[in-house]
Amino acid sequence: MDGNRRWAEARGLPIPLGHKAGAEAVRRTIEACVEQGVGWLTLFAFSSENWLRPAEEVRALTGLLRLYLRSEVATLAKEGIRLRVIGDRSRFGDETMREIARAESVTAHGTRLNLTVALSYGGRAEIVAAARAIAEAARDGRLDPASLDEAGFGRRLFTADMPDPDLIIRTSGEQRLSNFLLWQAAYAEFVFQEVLWPDYDAEALADALREFGRRERRYGARTG
């Protein structure tokens, strides 16, 4: 979800107001996904690299996260939306971890949309953590390395019970993966859109879905 900073700077506004506008775009996108019948939505909200941003901006982002968790959870639960968080949530501190756990619990029975938010997330770190868990299991005699396959490796990722993404959308004209779902994106389709994230809406999502619908997905195999 790129473009919050550029959106604010173009309007002469403080950067935190760009992030606030981005949170409004999150709400619109969730609603649009429900209307379009999308079953799974994963939002890359805060990367492990984002901790390197200026302290003031990090405080604004984490404060907005806590506010969103407190204000939106009841609506998510009412609308049948299940919220899950992937990433190293411990870096946000005890208060935010409690808010995340509460939000996940309150929305646990939602079935209309599986909403996953990646926080303090990095694809490389996720793969390293899975490899470390596998190595420890092998060392302790709980795993035969010869039995390990891709499915077994995938079960040790944050996304263990989630389907791999069909479509990855990147906004604001950026055209790179930026450490997002590196393992899971092996056969995902990509759509790059020029719209800045705070301006994202149902029409932009519909455009991306139409583009996805025109793709022929071969998963490395030949057709015809």
Side-chain angles (χ1 to χ4, degrees):
M1 302 181 290
D2 298 296
N4 293 352
R5 178 190 293 270
R6 275 169 280 171
W7 185 92
E9 290 176 342
R11 289 161 176 78
L13 299 172
I15 301 304
L17 289 184
H19 295 309
K20 186 176 186 297
E24 295 297 322
V26 167
R27 182 182 293 111
R28 292 194 299 270
T29 302
I30 291 171
E31 292 171 354
C33 282
V34 171
E35 292 172 2
Q36 291 276 2
V38 173
W40 294 81
L41 172 66
T42 300
L43 301 173
F44 198 6
F46 193 92
S47 76
S48 52
E49 290 81 13
N50 286 159
W51 291 108
L52 301 175
R53 291 185 177 186
E56 181 181 354
E57 184 176 355
V58 171
R59 282 194 297 270
L61 279 167
T62 54
L64 184 62
L65 167 63
R66 287 192 296 272
L67 176 64
Y68 186 86
L69 288 171
R70 292 166 184 162
S71 64
E72 297 294 325
V73 167
T75 300
L76 294 177
K78 180 181 177 181
E79 296 298 323
I81 298 169
R82 181 182 181 183
L83 173 67
R84 282 178 283 196
V85 171
I86 60 173
D88 182 10
R89 64 181 70 183
S90 66
R91 293 195 65 178
F92 289 98
D94 292 341
E95 180 183 359
T96 303
M97 284 197 296
R98 285 193 296 270
E99 292 288 349
I100 291 171
R102 184 183 72 86
E104 290 178 325
S105 176
V106 169
T107 64
H109 300 293
T111 57
R112 292 181 73 193
L113 175 68
N114 290 279
L115 171 64
T116 304
V117 180
L119 295 172
S120 190
Y121 172 86
R124 286 181 172 180
E126 178 185 29
I127 292 170
V128 169
R132 184 180 298 117
I134 289 167
E136 291 172 353
R139 179 197 62 197
D140 297 340
R142 293 179 284 111
L143 173 70
D144 176 5
S147 70
L148 183 66
D149 56 13
E150 291 182 8
F153 190 91
R155 285 192 292 271
R156 289 167 172 83
L157 298 172
F158 289 131
T159 56
D161 59 346
M162 295 168 53
D164 287 343
D166 294 306
L167 169 65
I168 294 178
I169 300 169
R170 183 141 194 184
T171 60
S172 81
E174 302 290 353
Q175 298 188 26
R176 57 183 182 274
L177 198 50
S178 293
N179 207 14
F180 180 57
L181 298 180
L182 298 180
W183 174 277
Q184 300 87 340
Y187 287 103
E189 296 291 327
F190 288 77
V191 169
F192 303 107
Q193 297 179 291
E194 294 295 327
V195 59
L196 300 179
W197 176 251
D199 293 325
Y200 210 79
D201 57 15
E203 182 179 353
L205 178 68
D207 287 343
L209 293 177
R210 281 192 291 269
E211 172 60 28
F212 173 74
R214 290 191 285 266
R215 306 283 178 87
E216 180 183 2
R217 305 185 73 197
R218 296 186 295 273
Y219 300 96
R222 276 181 150 181
T223 59

